[in-house]
Amino acid sequence: MSIISKDISKAVALLNAEDIVAIPTETVYGLAGNIYSEKAITSIFETKKRPFFNPLIVHIPSIDQLPNIVAYIPEKAQLLAEAFWPGPITLVLKKLDTIPDLITGGKDTVAVRVPNHPTILKLLNQLDFPLAAPSANPFSSISPTTAEHVETYFIDSIKMVLDGGHCTSGIESTIIGFENDEPIIYRLGSTALEDIEAVAGKVKIKNTKEVSPDAPGMLARHYAPKTQTILTDDIINVIKRQGNKRIGVIVFNTKLKNPNIISQIILSETRNMAEAASKLYDALHQLDKQHLDVIIAEQFPDYGLGKSINDRLTRATKS
Ligand code: TXA
Ligand code: MG
């Protein structure tokens, strides 16, 4: 029997009973629980097989609740929250003592955002507590952008996926921390770097190599299909070099011709990066089901959301 349902009151009941529920957001589906319930939070980590040191994002229904979560809001954090919430920006700020260590992996900072999806906003407004929600996928596999993706992963381990349709942004939120009150990007994501800089001025991107314990979303291998995956800026020649392998291809807008291409997904015929981002994970899910020998993806232009897409595709290629 399917665990997918549109019944918000059922999700409310489960969450009030310290259970966990998969929920839609504009970026990806999350696996959600009451931030103050040790039972629910432990169950999130166990269901995902996620190490406990890897902290969770707290989801609140409005910016007004930020002072219930964090101890201090730098000026540029306030500006970014006002400009982008509800929306795909997560701020990492000094936490209040009332935020459990289980949420933050023992750190003194907490990640928080206001998601932009009518279903989760309705849900949050009917609860007396915020929701911790990592992406609803087993640790390091492809994030889910439809209720069906989540069901495939967790049909035997959770009771409900709250259906909110296809996620409109399609890759995770951009995560921003602060050092000496200046913003620094921990994870590229659904809000383009240029849009952030228009609000906050020049922003540094944390070097992946120095980051891993801070934001495991930046771990080299993450968001990865089981099928070997290659990212290239020379897709035609890379395809030619595969011999007789059964190939799956992900391209931005141009259809390729080669007899070894079994399956080909065009992310945006009009070269719209937002559309491409929204379809990226579904393309990886679809190709990964087809028992191909290799998935080959075309590198995106390195600006705007193209930068975030390239980041995810790079992590998908690591073994
Ligand atoms: O779009 C999103 O952000 C989705 C939806 C469901 O909101 N959530 C998501 O959560 O991507 P998750 O857990 O898959 O990724 C959260 C990332 C992790 O890499 C984690 O390490 C980082 O946020 N993070 C959380 N708290 C942190 C903290 N205090 N300091 C540094 N990084 C933190
Ligand atoms: Mg994740």
Side-chain angles (χ1 to χ4, degrees), residues 168-170 252 267-268 271-279 305 309:
T168 49
S169 299
F252 191 3
L267 292 181
S268 173
R271 291 183 73 82
N272 176 323
M273 301 244 233
E275 182 188 12
S278 77
K279 293 183 176 166
L305 290 176
I309 294 172

Side-chain angles (χ1 to χ4, degrees), residues 23-31 48 50 53-59 87-93 95 103-105 107-113 115 120 132-137 139 143 171-175 177 186-187 190 211-219 222-223 312:
I23 45 99
T25 80
E26 79 281 35
T27 58
V28 301
Y29 276 72
L31 197 56
K48 268 183 73 83
R50 171 167 171 140
F53 64 78
N54 189 349
L56 307 179
I57 296 176
V58 172
H59 296 72
I89 272 197
T90 295
L91 300 175
V92 176
L93 299 171
K95 81 178 188 75
I103 299 289
T104 65
K107 290 173 186 297
D108 64 355
T109 53
V110 59
V112 56
R113 80 181 191 100
I120 187 181
S135 52
N137 51 290
F139 187 58
S143 298
I171 52 183
E172 294 83 350
S173 61
T174 303
I175 301 182
Y186 288 170
R187 178 179 76 182
S190 268
V211 162
S212 356
D214 263 10
M218 297 191 78
L219 286 176
H222 214 97
Y223 319 106
R312 295 304 190 273

